[in-house]
Coordinates of all heavy atoms in Angstrom, one line a residue:
G41 N 0.1 12.7 8.8 CA -1.4 13.0 9.2 C -2.2 11.8 8.6 O -3.5 12.0 8.7
F42 N -1.7 10.8 8.0 CA -2.6 9.7 7.5 C -2.9 8.8 8.7 O -2.3 8.6 9.6 CB -1.7 8.8 6.5 CG -1.4 9.6 5.2 CD1 -0.2 10.2 5.1 CD2 -2.1 9.5 4.1 CE1 0.2 10.8 4.0 CE2 -1.9 10.0 3.0 CZ -0.7 10.8 2.8
E43 N -4.0 8.1 8.4 CA -4.5 7.0 9.3 C -3.9 5.8 8.7 O -4.1 5.5 7.6 CB -6.1 7.0 9.5 CG -6.5 5.8 10.4 CD -8.0 5.8 10.2 OE1 -8.7 6.6 9.7 OE2 -8.5 4.6 10.7
V44 N -3.3 4.9 9.5 CA -2.6 3.9 9.0 C -3.2 2.5 9.6 O -3.4 2.3 10.9 CB -1.1 3.8 9.3 CG1 -0.3 2.5 8.7 CG2 -0.4 5.1 8.7
I45 N -3.7 1.5 8.8 CA -4.1 0.2 9.1 C -2.9 -0.8 8.7 O -2.4 -0.6 7.7 CB -5.3 -0.2 8.3 CG1 -6.4 0.9 8.5 CG2 -5.9 -1.5 8.9 CD1 -7.1 1.1 9.7
E46 N -2.7 -1.7 9.5 CA -1.5 -2.5 9.3 C -1.9 -4.1 9.1 O -2.8 -4.4 9.8 CB -0.6 -2.6 10.4 CG 0.1 -1.3 10.8 CD 0.7 -1.3 12.1 OE1 1.1 -2.4 12.7 OE2 1.1 -0.4 12.7
A47 N -1.3 -4.7 8.1 CA -1.4 -6.2 7.9 C -0.1 -6.7 7.7 O 0.7 -6.2 6.9 CB -2.4 -6.5 6.8
R48 N 0.1 -7.9 8.4 CA 1.5 -8.5 8.2 C 1.4 -9.8 7.3 O 2.3 -10.4 7.1 CB 2.0 -9.0 9.5 CG 2.4 -7.7 10.4 CD 2.8 -8.0 11.8 NE 3.2 -6.9 12.5 CZ 2.5 -5.9 13.0 NH1 1.3 -6.0 12.7 NH2 3.2 -4.9 13.7
S49 N 0.2 -10.0 6.7 CA 0.1 -11.1 5.6 C -0.9 -10.6 4.6 O -1.7 -9.7 4.8 CB -0.3 -12.4 6.4 OG -1.8 -12.2 6.7
G50 N -0.7 -11.3 3.4 CA -1.7 -10.9 2.4 C -3.1 -11.3 2.7 O -4.1 -10.4 2.3
E51 N -3.3 -12.4 3.3 CA -4.7 -12.9 3.7 C -5.3 -11.7 4.7 O -6.6 -11.3 4.4 CB -4.7 -14.1 4.5 CG -4.3 -15.3 3.5 CD -2.9 -15.6 3.5 OE1 -2.0 -14.7 3.9 OE2 -2.4 -16.7 3.1
L52 N -4.6 -11.3 5.6 CA -5.2 -10.3 6.6 C -5.3 -9.0 5.8 O -6.4 -8.2 6.0 CB -4.3 -10.1 7.7 CG -4.8 -9.2 8.8 CD1 -6.1 -9.8 9.3 CD2 -3.8 -9.0 9.9
G53 N -4.5 -8.7 4.9 CA -4.6 -7.5 4.1 C -5.9 -7.4 3.4 O -6.6 -6.4 3.2
V54 N -6.2 -8.5 2.6 CA -7.4 -8.5 1.9 C -8.6 -8.4 2.8 O -9.6 -7.6 2.6 CB -7.5 -10.0 1.1 CG1 -8.9 -10.3 0.5 CG2 -6.4 -10.1 0.1
E55 N -8.6 -9.1 4.0 CA -9.6 -8.9 4.9 C -9.9 -7.6 5.6 O -11.0 -7.0 5.5 CB -9.2 -9.8 6.1 CG -10.3 -10.7 6.8 CD -9.7 -11.5 7.9 OE1 -9.0 -12.6 7.5 OE2 -9.9 -11.2 9.0
L56 N -8.8 -6.8 5.8 CA -8.8 -5.5 6.3 C -9.2 -4.5 5.3 O -9.9 -3.4 5.5 CB -7.5 -5.2 6.9 CG -7.0 -6.0 8.2 CD1 -5.8 -5.4 8.9 CD2 -8.1 -6.1 9.3
A57 N -8.9 -4.7 4.0 CA -9.4 -4.0 2.9 C -10.9 -3.9 2.8 O -11.5 -2.7 2.8 CB -8.7 -4.3 1.6
V58 N -11.4 -5.0 3.2 CA -13.0 -5.2 3.1 C -13.5 -4.4 4.2 O -14.4 -3.6 4.2 CB -13.5 -6.6 3.0 CG1 -14.9 -6.7 3.3 CG2 -13.0 -7.3 1.8
E59 N -12.9 -4.7 5.5 CA -13.4 -4.3 6.8 C -13.2 -2.6 6.9 O -14.1 -2.0 7.2 CB -12.8 -4.9 7.8 CG -13.3 -4.5 9.2 CD -12.7 -5.4 10.3 OE1 -11.9 -6.3 10.0 OE2 -12.8 -5.0 11.5
Y60 N -12.1 -2.2 6.4 CA -11.8 -0.8 6.8 C -11.9 0.2 5.4 O -11.8 1.4 5.6 CB -10.4 -0.5 7.3 CG -10.3 -1.1 8.7 CD1 -9.8 -2.3 9.0 CD2 -10.7 -0.3 9.8 CE1 -9.8 -2.9 10.3 CE2 -10.6 -0.8 11.2 CZ -10.1 -2.1 11.4 OH -10.1 -2.5 12.7
Q61 N -12.1 -0.4 4.3 CA -12.2 0.5 3.2 C -11.3 1.6 3.0 O -11.6 2.8 3.0 CB -13.7 1.0 3.1 CG -14.8 0.0 3.0 CD -14.8 -0.7 1.7 OE1 -14.9 0.0 0.6 NE2 -14.7 -2.0 1.6

Side-chain angles (χ1 to χ4, degrees):
F42 293 90
E43 179 188 349
V44 179
I45 312 286
E46 303 169 13
R48 290 170 176 76
S49 73
E51 289 89 341
L52 186 60
V54 172
E55 225 177 281
L56 295 186
V58 172
E59 188 176 342
Y60 288 97
Q61 297 288 308

